[in-house]
Amino acid sequence: MSVRLGGALLAGLVLLAAPAALALPKYRTEAARFLGHDKDDPLWQLSGKVMSCVACHTQPQGGKGWNAFGQSLQAGFRAQPTANFRTVLRSVLAKNADADADGYPDALEFFARTLPGDPKSKPAKPLRDLQAEFEKAGGLPEDRAKK
Amino acid sequence: MTVDRRDFLKYSALAVAATTGMPGFLARAAAQAATTPGTAGKTLVVIQLTGGNDGLNTLVPYSNGAYYAARPNIAIPKKDVLTLTPDLGMHPSLKPLMGLWDSGHLAWVENVGYPNPNRSHFASMAIWHTADPTQAQAEGWIGRVAEKIGDPFCASNIGGTTPQALRASDFSLPSIDSVSSFQVRLPAGLDGAFEQLLNLPRQGEADYLSRATRQMVLNTQKVQANVAKYRPGAKYPEGRFGTHLQDAARLIAAGTGQRVLYVSLNGFDTHAGQRADQDELLATLASGLAAFQADLETQGLADRVIVMGFSEFGRRVAENGSAGTDHGQGSVMFALGKGVKGGVHGDSPDLENLENGDIRYKQDFRGVYAGALTRWLGLDAQGILRGDFAGPEWVA
C-alpha cells in the first residue's frame, strides 16, 4: 500500500514538474507551428525531437551559441528589428540560402526534418527530388495557404 | 476552542462551499454580507507581466545617449516616445494610459529590484511572489495577507493556476478562470435532498447552523445575481487579458469584497525580435487597463480600486544579436487608479554605471509592496513582508 502510495505521489510530482521542464520555449513553439511540424506528433510540445533547440543553437538546451542557421536568423532580426518572429523566419527561408553549406537550402532541410545549421544532418533524398516534393506540397507555409 | 458568531459564519461558509461546490469567494461574500453589509473596503489589483518585461523600452530614457548607443536596433525613437518628463517617456503602445497620466492617476516607480538578483525566471518570480530574496519562504506575500486577515477567500487569482504569491502556509487562495461559469450547483439529483436536509426541524446549535446555511445560500444567490447584473462600462480588448480584467471588474462590482485580485499577462521574454512582441504586449496591457479603469469609473468604483504592476526582472541594457534583450536586473513598476499619486517615483538608472551590463537597482520592490499594504489595504506591511521596507509614497 505504501509503495503504491509512494508511486502515485512520485507520478504526481513528475506530472506537476513536466510542464515546466518540457515546455517548448516560445520561439521553438512558433517555428514548429509556422512550419507545420506541430502536426508530426500529437505530443509535439513535449517532444525534444520536434523543432529541437539545435535547429538554431549549438547546444541541445539552447541558450547562447548559435549554429550557422541560427546566425542567419539573428541577422534577419537585425535587418528587420520591428518584424515578428514569423516574418523574420519566413524571409530568411525565402532567400533559399544554405546556411550549413551541405548542398540543401534551409527551407528544404526543415521540410525534410533535418537540421539547416548542421552539415552532418542532411536529407537522404537527392536535392532535385526533394525540391520537387517541396514545390508539390506548396512550398513555404504562407505560399501553401495562397495556393 | 471558542467560536464567535463571525467565525461560525465563516466556517459555515466554508462548509457550504465544501458541500455545494459553491466557489469559495461567493461563500465568503455571503458570509461577509451576513455580518458586515456595505463594508467591503478597498481592492488592490496586481498585474504580473510574466517573462521579464524590458523596463527601459517601457519607461524610455529618451534624453540619454547611452540608451540609444546600447540599442541601435530596438531603442524607441525619440519621436515616438510619449513624453512624460524632460528625460522620460512611455512606449508609444502605452498611449491608452496617457489620459490617466494627464489626470495624475498613473505612477511609475523607477529602478526597482532586490539584493543579489537572479536571472532565472522561476527563481526571480518566486522571489517577487514570496517577497523573500533569500528564497527561504514558500508562502506568498498575498497568502500572508490572507493569513493576517484570517480569511482564506480574501484574494483570488483570475486565471488558471494559482501563482505562488497567493499560497499561504496551510492553504492556497482560489483561482477563477471564468467568473461567468460559476454557479451554485449540486450534483444531479442531490439539490432536493440538500434542501430537505436544511429544512429538517433542529434545535440549538444545529438549528442555528441550518438557518445560517439557508441564509448563506440565499446571500450567495444574491451575490451571483449581482455578478449576472454586471454590465461592462467600457469595451475591453479581445483576448484573455482583457477578459480577465473584465472578470476582475465584475467581481468588484458584484461586491464580493475581495481585497486582492491577481491578473497576469504572459510573453515578455523577448530574446529575439523584441520590438514586435513587446510593442504588441504593451498595447494589450494599456488597452486592457484603460478599459478596466473606464469600467470602474462607470460603475462608481474608481476610488476603491488601485492597480499595481510588476515583472520578475528587466532586461539587459544592451540589445543582443537577435534584436532582442536577455534577462537582466531591475526594472520599473507601475500603478494606476484614483488612489495613486501620479508621477515618476525614484531616480532613473545610470546607464553609464552598470553592474555586469545591468542597471544597479535602487528601490527594493518590497518597499513598493509596503505602500500598497499599509496605505491602501491598511494592513501591517512589516508583519506580512517580514521586515521594514521603505518606498516611495505612490499611494495618494
Side-chain angles (χ1 to χ4, degrees):
Chain A
M1 177 68 184
S2 62
V3 172
R4 215 179 283 169
L5 185 63
L9 282 172
L10 185 63
L13 284 173
V14 168
L15 280 173
L16 281 173
L22 300 175
L24 291 177
K26 70 174 182 179
Y27 302 110
R28 282 180 65 197
T29 307
E30 282 194 54
R33 288 197 170 121
F34 176 70
L35 293 165
H37 293 199
D38 57 332
K39 311 286 189 302
D40 293 357
D41 181 346
L43 297 175
W44 67 276
Q45 286 174 304
L46 302 176
S47 167
K49 291 179 184 171
V50 176
M51 196 57 68
S52 68
C53 290
V54 289
C56 297
H57 297 266
T58 52
Q59 299 297 319
Q61 69 274 22
K64 288 192 173 145
W66 301 83
N67 62 33
F69 178 73
Q71 289 174 30
S72 297
L73 204 54
Q74 283 191 296
F77 276 116
R78 292 194 298 272
Q80 303 179 77
T82 58
N84 66 23
F85 179 81
R86 284 186 174 219
T87 304
V88 172
L89 177 58
R90 193 193 180 288
S91 67
V92 169
L93 295 179
K95 287 177 182 169
N96 209 29
D98 176 13
D100 58 7
D102 61 2
Y104 287 86
D106 303 330
L108 287 189
E109 291 227 46
F110 276 122
F111 181 68
R113 307 304 194 252
T114 58
L115 299 171
D118 179 358
K120 292 180 200 153
S121 165
K122 56 182 177 181
K125 289 182 182 173
L127 176 61
R128 188 184 296 175
D129 293 353
L130 188 62
Q131 183 75 44
E133 204 176 310
F134 178 68
E135 282 166 14
K136 192 178 174 190
L140 285 170
E142 285 174 22
D143 296 336
R144 264 180 250 161
K146 286 174 194 164
K147 287 175 184 173
Chain B
M1 175 185 164
T2 56
V3 177
D4 63 19
R5 183 168 179 273
R6 188 183 172 85
D7 284 340
F8 181 82
L9 284 173
K10 190 186 294 175
Y11 295 136
S12 299
L14 288 171
V16 170
T19 53
T20 65
M22 181 194 308
F25 77 93
L26 290 176
R28 179 199 162 278
Q32 185 179 58
T35 52
T36 53
T39 58
K42 294 173 175 175
T43 301
L44 169 69
V45 177
V46 177
I47 305 291
Q48 173 179 305
L49 307 181
T50 311
N53 177 43
D54 178 27
L56 287 173
N57 271 20
T58 303
L59 186 61
V60 184
Y62 68 85
S63 68
N64 194 331
Y67 164 72
Y68 289 99
R71 301 182 166 201
N73 290 301
I74 65 162
I76 308 298
K78 191 173 178 178
K79 65 178 177 53
D80 295 338
V81 168
L82 303 168
T83 305
L84 303 184
T85 74
D87 296 314
L88 295 169
M90 292 195 299
H91 187 290
S93 294
L94 297 174
K95 195 173 181 183
L97 300 181
M98 272 309 280
L100 282 163
W101 173 264
D102 291 339
S103 58
H105 296 142
L106 172 62
W108 291 97
V109 186
E110 274 274 49
N111 230 346
V112 187
Y114 56 84
N116 302 314
N118 195 309
R119 292 185 203 277
S120 153
H121 290 291
F122 299 107
S124 194
M125 191 61 90
I127 286 166
W128 281 80
H129 281 178
T130 59
D132 176 17
T134 70
Q135 301 183 63
Q137 297 177 42
E139 73 270 29
W141 68 282
I142 300 169
R144 293 200 289 275
V145 167
E147 285 173 340
K148 200 80 179 171
I149 296 174
D151 182 346
F153 299 117
C154 70
S156 291
N157 174 55
I158 313 287
T161 311
T162 300
Q164 191 175 6
L166 285 90
R167 289 187 203 148
S169 55
D170 295 326
F171 57 86
S172 191
L173 290 153
S175 274
I176 302 165
D177 202 31
S178 171
V179 172
S180 54
S181 65
F182 277 122
Q183 54 184 306
V184 175
R185 190 167 52 193
L186 288 165
L190 287 185
D191 46 348
F194 184 67
E195 200 174 328
Q196 280 177 13
L197 192 71
L198 281 181
N199 291 328
L200 283 176
R202 298 181 191 277
Q203 291 183 332
E205 289 180 352
D207 174 53
Y208 183 65
L209 178 60
S210 289
R211 283 191 287 118
T213 306
R214 281 199 299 274
Q215 186 61 43
M216 212 172 305
V217 170
L218 285 174
N219 286 338
T220 302
Q221 286 167 347
K222 282 182 194 165
V223 171
Q224 288 177 305
N226 285 341
V227 168
K229 272 186 216 162
Y230 163 82
R231 295 290 175 271
K235 183 169 170 48
Y236 285 82
E238 288 182 7
R240 279 178 69 79
F241 185 66
T243 303
H244 286 164
L245 282 175
Q246 187 172 347
D247 277 346
R250 189 196 306 254
L251 288 174
I252 294 164
T256 54
Q258 287 173 301
R259 309 301 305 280
V260 186
L261 293 169
Y262 203 95
V263 179
S264 298
L265 177 60
N266 302 331
F268 285 90
D269 196 15
T270 49
H271 287 283
Q274 174 171 307
R275 282 298 309 271
D277 288 347
Q278 196 199 22
D279 290 11
E280 189 177 331
L281 285 164
L282 291 180
T284 301
L285 174 73
S287 57
L289 289 175
F292 180 68
Q293 194 61 25
D295 194 4
L296 293 176
E297 291 276 0
T298 306
Q299 314 284 347
L301 296 168
D303 56 350
R304 287 171 47 193
V305 182
I306 61 171
V307 171
M308 177 181 79
F310 80 99
S311 192
E312 72 265 39
F313 43 61
R315 319 291 298 184
R316 294 178 77 79
V317 173
E319 70 180 42
N320 62 24
S322 307
T325 50
D326 297 325
H327 303 178
Q329 307 172 7
S331 191
V332 294
M333 291 180 72
F334 64 88
L336 57 89
K338 280 190 164 177
V340 165
K341 186 178 171 189
V344 178
H345 300 269
D347 300 325
S348 295
D350 182 352
L351 300 186
E352 294 177 70
N353 179 20
L354 304 176
E355 182 181 6
N356 192 24
D358 288 310
I359 64 167
R360 296 174 188 272
Y361 88 96
K362 287 187 180 172
Q363 173 61 56
D364 192 306
F365 73 88
R366 292 168 291 181
V368 184
Y369 282 4
L373 290 168
T374 307
R375 295 175 65 87
W376 186 250
L377 296 176
L379 298 171
D380 168 25
Q382 199 170 346
I384 290 166
L385 300 174
R386 296 176 180 163
D388 190 11
F389 300 101
E393 292 194 355
W394 61 273
V395 178

